[in-house]
Amino acid sequence: MEAAEPVGQQGFDAIMTELGPWPGQGIPVAVAVSGGADSMALAILARRWRADVIALVVDHGLRAESRTEAEQTVARLSMLGIQARLLTLEGLERGSRMAERARRMRYQALFAACRDLGALDLLVAHHAGDQAETVMMRGRASSGQDGLAGMALALPVTDVRLVRPLLAFTKSALYATVRAAGVTWVEDPSNANLRTERARARQVLRQDAVLGGSLFAQARQAGQARMAQDRDAALWLAQHARFHPGGWVVLPAGLAPPRILSALIGVVGGRDYPPRRDAVAGLVHAPRAATLAGVVIVPWRDGQWLLAREEAAMAPCVSAGAGAVWDRRFVLRARHVPKDMYIGAAGPVARWWPAGQGRSGWPACVLRTLPALWHDGRVMAVPHMGLCMHDGIADAFFVNQPSHPAFSGALFGRRTALPVGAGQ
């Protein structure tokens, strides 16, 4: 690895100022710390920038040494004057897509800890090399211009903002930062496992610094374009789309521009990845009833269209409890839920709609997909329709909270030039 100067505190502080505003004293800023050099450098810089930072250390349990390494990391952070909390992942099993599942569980644990602490922001240590690797992998996957924007500097995620203040700095600069601070770190051997796509991309970029710089610059340019497109998309949605809290969307006669329609299908279907671009383009060219990526597209009144969840693709029932998530979209809010209740799709309307009460006006294909509280094989409540047949859950309701919004408002570029010494 090439020699580099440590990250300058003044340059880091300038980035944090641009990524503000930040909460006042008493509301901490959380830092995700794996124990590696990158995240330890971030913790050091963040602690110098602000006193009330709290490090979150996740023990993923995938290696025998992980617990010891996590505890060592907490001890090292304590010596730096940084308060740390150790989080343990439970239920992570080996098998297919393990890295993806581990990543999802890790972020779920980090976000939950932020909510518990009252932290509004979570800092993560992705750097310029990570950005170049991401753009390379997305380019190979033909992910389109949005994907080539790489990782955002700041990304609102539900009720926490994910912030990546180190994207302008090289890994060698971060190593130099921890060495200058006299801090040791953990080296995860899985980072060098060439069976993973990211490790292979890292190997290529290690041998071609010019390519890494080119990919980083490409990400900045694509990011600026993506922010402009997102602003236009948000304006189009405000003018033309109607969102129902039950999880469906009403669109005008021409559906929506392809990029917007793709994003909406992802939100309604509760999926992380967009549908095939050619399939979306075909629908926009010739609007018609269709099923795509867990979403049904059906004609509605006055030439309008409904985007609704595909009933056959919905998640199975889950146990009911305050905060329970069903179908990756709906969160149950309630002071108390009686035992043995569960959450599932409302199902055939005739089985739960009160006799003699006029219908809502919405088609059965969307009413069947509403989240409902069940007990002993019977629907007890469909809160979105104001129906409740059990006194113990009269206050229960569901919040439509997909894993990501149609357009996140992510920040992909800074307003000023990169700081002196930033890695490319």
Side-chain angles (χ1 to χ4, degrees), residues 26-290:
I27 300 179
V29 173
V31 186
V33 182
S34 67
D38 307 342
S39 60
M40 290 300 291
L42 176 59
I44 292 166
L45 293 163
R47 178 62 179 81
R48 293 172 182 168
W49 162 69
R50 181 184 176 107
D52 56 343
V53 296
I54 298 180
L56 302 177
V57 182
V58 178
D59 171 21
H60 51 65
L62 294 177
R63 293 185 291 110
E65 306 86 358
S66 67
R67 185 69 182 188
T68 299
E69 291 172 351
E71 291 173 347
Q72 289 174 342
T73 299
V74 170
R76 289 166 183 162
L77 291 164
S78 179
M79 292 178 64
L80 292 168
I82 301 173
Q83 181 182 347
R85 176 177 292 194
L86 179 56
L87 311 175
T88 303
L89 297 188
E90 297 180 355
L92 178 58
E93 299 178 355
R94 295 185 178 277
S96 63
R97 306 178 74 89
M98 185 175 69
E100 180 181 333
R101 289 185 285 109
R103 178 183 179 278
R104 181 174 294 166
M105 290 182 65
R106 182 166 65 252
Y107 275 109
Q108 286 174 345
L110 290 168
F111 295 152
C114 286
R115 288 190 290 271
D116 185 54
L117 292 166
L120 303 176
D121 302 276
L122 174 67
L123 310 186
V124 293
H126 295 125
H127 52 76
D130 294 325
Q131 184 74 301
E133 293 161 14
T134 298
V135 175
M136 174 181 280
M137 291 188 296
R138 292 183 180 178
R140 289 173 174 174
S142 302
S143 61
Q145 281 300 113
D146 279 0
L148 295 179
M151 295 179 287
L153 272 168
L155 177 68
V157 184
T158 312
D159 48 359
V160 177
R161 187 177 66 137
L162 193 67
V163 183
R164 299 182 176 99
L166 300 182
L167 281 183
F169 300 97
T170 62
K171 188 175 184 69
S172 57
L174 302 182
Y175 269 91
T177 302
V178 290
R179 289 193 184 103
V183 176
T184 53
W185 61 88
V186 173
E187 289 287 359
D188 186 346
S190 64
N191 290 334
N193 183 356
L194 293 180
R195 289 179 296 180
T196 67
E197 183 183 10
R198 185 168 287 277
R200 293 193 296 271
R202 185 175 300 129
Q203 184 182 54
V204 171
L205 292 171
R206 189 179 295 122
Q207 299 168 355
D208 191 342
V210 174
L211 175 60
S214 175
L215 290 170
F216 187 86
Q218 182 180 0
R220 279 192 296 171
Q221 184 176 4
Q224 294 289 344
R226 179 169 173 175
M227 287 192 295
Q229 289 178 323
D230 284 354
R231 287 192 294 269
D232 292 342
L235 179 61
W236 191 97
L237 289 171
Q239 294 174 336
H240 300 287
R242 287 192 293 138
F243 293 80
H244 191 279
W248 59 87
V249 181
V250 181
L251 292 176
L255 285 175
R259 184 172 182 269
I260 296 176
L261 181 60
S262 179
L264 290 174
I265 290 173
V267 168
V268 174
R271 301 197 175 187
D272 291 331
Y273 304 105
R276 299 190 329 272
R277 289 198 297 274
D278 59 341
V280 174
L283 284 172
V284 173
H285 177 72
R288 62 192 182 279

